[in-house]
Amino acid sequence: MNRSFPFFIVCFLGLFCVLSAQGQSIADRITLRGYIKEMPGLRLDKDFGDARFDNLIHNRLNIRAGLADHIHLHLEGRNRLMYNSLFKDFPVFGDLLARDDGWMDLSWVWLNQDGWIGHTAIDRMFLDIRYNQWQFRAGRQRINWGITMVSNPNDLFNTYSFFDIDYPERPGADALRVQYNTGFASRIEAAWSPAREARQSVGALLVAWNLRGYDFQALAGYYHHRAALGGGWAGNIGGAGFKGEATWFYHLEEQSGADRGDLVVATGVDYMFGSGTFAVLEVLYNGGYQPIDPLALFLNQPLRADNIMFSEYAITLNLQHPFSPVFSGGLALMSLPDQQAFFLLPSLSRSLLTNLDMEGVAQIFVGGKESIFRQAGSAWYLSLKYTF
């Protein structure tokens, strides 16, 4: 049994006891939202051959319980049943999904056989308390300090993968967080995310403010036994959005044959054209670049903020266009010039009914000899999603 499962049960037995003691119907204090998605697809190799069937059934549940006027408990997670013949060749992928690096272990692989993987993970489980300008959160939560739209070196607690097309909610972190709103678009925020190994903990302080129409932030903290200093901005130039963020990481111990400090910077512009097309152009310098395991199935796993991309440089162009109120399309193109690699992400989506959406999306990886993209090939999906 997963070691956090008893803790999980105790928390929610306690929740029901509290609600019952208040003499209120549980249904009146709890909201349930979510979706279920069917996502069949094909995976092709780098020569657009060797077609393999791929299928995903994805169910997400979001539960919010009001314990008092200013106190809420949040529980969110996803259940996935996946099939891919590649899983037979790489059984380690199931082990990767089962691993939970947080302080709580809230990830379960309940099936890993003959190309099938069944996986359940809880990525939000926190208590939220708000009082005047104060906000306190404890538990697994998303701490979103990133500003730019593709890569976020300021996001010390829970980075995400741009290549994961089936995770719009993004990962969470086990943390304690305190936030004090000091005024319009300004706040002071402190967070601490403990780890099972103390050196892998993350703790930081962030200060955000607004000056002459620009939002600024500065942060300092401890990141996996490295010091971290960073900051970011968001504003406008000539009608275009202008954003950026940077973090400098410094090893607290000498590193044999390597620099102790490195800088990760992301900056970009975004613009809404008169036709309704929304465009984003972003450039990344990943000063902490280190090659990782070349297994292509790892591409959808988030990287660390101090090594946030599979290359030293990345340039991304993202276009979104609404053809009608219910039909839209998108195209993302990422270039990794130092790896001679490219990534294409075309998509089309249509709303069929109020709660029913259909989407077609493809992932096309083209890589140089040394790039992790070289063996990734391409994947083509059609999804049907019902939201409740």
Side-chain angles (χ1 to χ4, degrees), residues 18-94:
V18 169
L19 295 178
S20 300
Q22 291 180 343
Q24 293 181 291
S25 167
I26 291 176
D28 292 338
R29 303 300 297 270
I30 294 180
T31 59
L32 173 64
R33 300 287 186 270
Y35 57 79
I36 185 166
K37 178 191 291 187
E38 162 64 8
M39 193 172 175
L42 285 176
R43 287 183 178 267
L44 307 177
D45 65 16
K46 60 185 177 64
D47 298 316
F48 295 96
D50 190 25
R52 298 185 183 221
F53 176 70
D54 190 323
N55 193 63
L56 168 67
I57 300 174
H58 183 174
N59 165 236
R60 185 169 184 88
L61 295 174
N62 301 331
I63 301 172
R64 182 175 183 266
L67 306 184
D69 290 341
H70 305 289
I71 304 175
H72 294 86
L73 184 63
H74 295 250
L75 173 68
E76 302 179 17
R78 56 182 183 164
N79 305 292
R80 294 182 295 166
L81 179 61
M82 299 168 277
Y83 173 80
N84 191 311
S85 59
L86 286 173
F87 296 157
K88 299 178 184 178
D89 302 326
F90 299 102
V92 68
F93 189 66

Side-chain angles (χ1 to χ4, degrees), residues 76-371:
E76 302 179 17
R78 56 182 183 164
N79 305 292
R80 294 182 295 166
L81 179 61
M82 299 168 277
Y83 173 80
N84 191 311
S85 59
L86 286 173
F87 296 157
K88 299 178 184 178
D89 302 326
F90 299 102
V92 68
F93 189 66
D95 298 333
L96 177 67
L97 288 177
R99 189 181 71 195
D100 190 326
D101 294 327
W103 185 70
M104 297 183 290
D105 188 352
L106 300 177
S107 179
W108 300 266
V109 169
W110 37 269
L111 174 65
N112 189 2
Q113 185 176 1
D114 297 328
W116 290 90
I117 294 180
H119 178 234
T120 295
I122 296 172
D123 53 22
R124 307 287 191 277
M125 189 171 71
F126 63 89
L127 185 69
D128 181 86
I129 303 174
R130 300 178 186 234
Y131 181 76
N132 295 330
Q133 285 76 38
W134 290 93
Q135 181 182 19
F136 303 87
R137 279 189 177 181
R140 180 158 296 182
Q141 58 189 287
R142 177 145 188 86
I143 302 177
N144 185 16
W145 286 2
I147 296 176
T148 51
M149 297 185 179
V150 180
S151 302
N152 301 120
N154 278 186
D155 217 348
L156 300 183
F157 292 91
N158 34 218
T159 56
Y160 77 102
S161 171
F162 182 73
F163 309 103
D164 191 346
I165 60 174
D166 190 51
Y167 201 2
E169 299 83 12
R170 302 181 181 179
D174 297 332
L176 298 173
R177 181 171 61 146
V178 180
Q179 179 177 312
Y180 180 74
N181 295 308
T182 57
F184 171 72
S186 61
R187 71 188 191 279
I188 300 173
E189 191 169 339
W192 174 254
S193 179
R196 298 166 201 164
E197 183 181 349
R199 291 166 63 102
Q200 297 303 313
S201 300
V202 179
L205 175 71
L206 178 140
V207 179
W209 68 97
N210 181 273
L211 179 64
R212 297 183 179 179
Y214 267 71
D215 293 325
F216 294 96
Q217 67 182 35
L219 63 88
Y222 176 93
Y223 183 79
H224 301 295
H225 205 56
R226 307 188 73 184
L229 294 173
W233 72 90
N236 290 275
I237 296 179
F242 178 44
K243 300 176 181 177
E245 57 185 279
T247 305
W248 179 67
F249 299 93
Y250 185 78
H251 284 284
L252 298 180
E253 296 179 354
E254 289 283 354
Q255 299 296 301
S256 177
D259 294 335
R260 293 180 67 175
D262 52 70
L263 181 67
V264 184
V265 183
T267 185
V269 294
D270 57 79
Y271 188 77
M272 178 70 76
F273 291 92
S275 63
T277 300
F278 182 66
V280 178
L281 177 63
E282 186 173 309
V283 179
L284 170 72
Y285 168 64
N286 181 32
Y289 170 63
Q290 292 290 333
I292 66 167
D293 194 309
L295 184 59
L297 287 171
F298 289 2
L299 282 170
N300 65 349
Q301 300 300 306
L303 300 178
R304 287 175 32 149
D306 56 354
N307 184 22
I308 206 167
M309 185 52 66
F310 302 104
S311 62
E312 188 174 3
Y313 299 94
I315 304 170
T316 306
L317 175 65
N318 195 354
L319 302 172
Q320 298 290 329
H321 180 77
F323 298 104
S324 76
V326 296
F327 181 50
S328 63
L331 175 64
L333 169 63
M334 176 182 288
S335 169
L336 310 182
D338 55 304
Q339 298 291 313
Q340 297 181 336
F342 300 89
F343 171 65
L344 283 170
L345 181 68
S347 64
L348 291 171
S349 61
R350 182 177 180 84
S351 176
L352 302 178
L353 298 170
T354 301
N355 297 326
L356 187 64
D357 299 289
M358 182 172 64
E359 182 179 27
V361 61
Q363 297 175 298
I364 305 169
F365 298 91
V366 180
K369 184 181 297 186
E370 303 300 326
S371 170

